[in-house]
Amino acid sequence: MSKRTLAILAALGANLIYAINHTVAKDVMPTHIKPFGFILLRVLGASFLFWLISIWAPKEKIDKKDWLRIMGGAFFGMCLNMLAFFKGLSLSTPIQSSIVITITPIVVFILSAYLIKEKIKGLRWFGIFMGFAGALTLIIFGQELRMDAPNIPFGNSLFVVNAIAYAFYLVIVKPLTAKYHVFTLMKWLFLFGLIMNIPVTISEFLEVQWSSLPFDASWRMAFVVLGTTFTTYLLNVYALTNLRASTIGAFVYLQPLMAIAFAIIVGADSLNVVKIIAACTVLIGVYLVTKKPKEG
């Protein structure tokens, strides 16, 4: 199996976990933990895991010129991105969140073209807008998952902030993946992310009644730390070593499909002709974007 194929599978795996997370994390907030407290749990747990696993990774020294980029990546990827998403999720719905963040690929494409000079050719542009058309179809015609959502407009606005921050993160970190081992990058990114998050999140974290958490809340929290944080960030950074930042961003278009599929499996949503058409459109769009361009 080629490195490119493994990278595509890694990106698919990361987005599958993200899609499930839209529903899993929603069911915990705010009854057992508030959104900002959840973020501190995420970065604290992931920081511990990445520093632990880095014991077996190559020992690398970070160049002085790269520290600013690492701190920027931490701010956008482990701070602003997470805070905006989880706060938005507490106010909106899982299906809404999975759909709104499909603006990410557009932002990644623009940033990639201007900041790291990625060449974006016509077929890939067509693919990205085809994926967007499919996602837009879901926005207009798709049923939303009916859950507690006290302020959907504000929540969706925060999803936009989340999408833009995540796009910045992918573009900022992309050049670093060619220089450093993934564990080296992740341990420093999450350490800085932890430091940045503490002032904003510590109060809600301390409010959690840890000793009286039910099992249902505990396994969901564990999923978010181990799956949505540790595993997805690891998979995405690995994918970035072999794929363009804009290609990784395009996989976000799959999240509404996966989120709806998960909702159908648990009996919270249903399939119809519109969703099937939208799904096909999204899949074709992602194929065109991820297709390896011809040399020359």
Side-chain angles (χ1 to χ4, degrees), residues 190-238:
F190 271 96
L191 179 61
F192 282 115
L194 176 61
I195 294 169
M196 293 174 185
N197 273 298
I198 286 175
V200 182
T201 60
I202 188 65
S203 60
E204 289 190 2
F205 183 81
L206 295 176
E207 291 176 9
V208 180
Q209 302 298 315
W210 300 103
S211 60
S212 59
L213 282 176
F215 175 75
D216 184 64
S218 297
W219 80 257
R220 291 173 187 275
M221 290 181 183
F223 176 86
V224 171
V225 173
L226 295 173
T228 312
T229 313
F230 178 76
T231 303
T232 56
Y233 275 80
L234 189 61
L235 289 174
N236 273 330
V237 167
Y238 173 77

Side-chain angles (χ1 to χ4, degrees), residues 107-184:
V107 181
V108 172
F109 260 53
I110 294 170
L111 294 176
S112 296
Y114 285 97
L115 298 182
I116 58 177
K117 310 303 179 184
E118 274 195 9
K119 292 182 179 179
I120 303 170
K121 298 184 179 180
L123 189 62
R124 299 183 78 231
W125 275 115
F126 180 70
I128 206 72
F129 283 108
M130 200 167 176
F132 181 74
L136 187 62
T137 301
L138 288 174
I139 292 174
I140 298 172
F141 300 107
Q143 294 180 354
E144 75 172 44
L145 189 63
R146 295 183 180 276
M147 288 187 173
D148 182 37
N151 195 334
I152 289 179
F154 184 50
N156 287 352
S157 298
L158 290 174
F159 294 144
V160 173
V161 175
N162 156 252
I164 294 173
Y166 184 67
F168 267 99
Y169 164 75
L170 289 177
V171 174
I172 288 171
V173 171
K174 171 61 179 175
L176 297 174
T177 62
K179 295 181 65 174
Y180 304 107
H181 191 277
V182 291
F183 293 154
T184 301

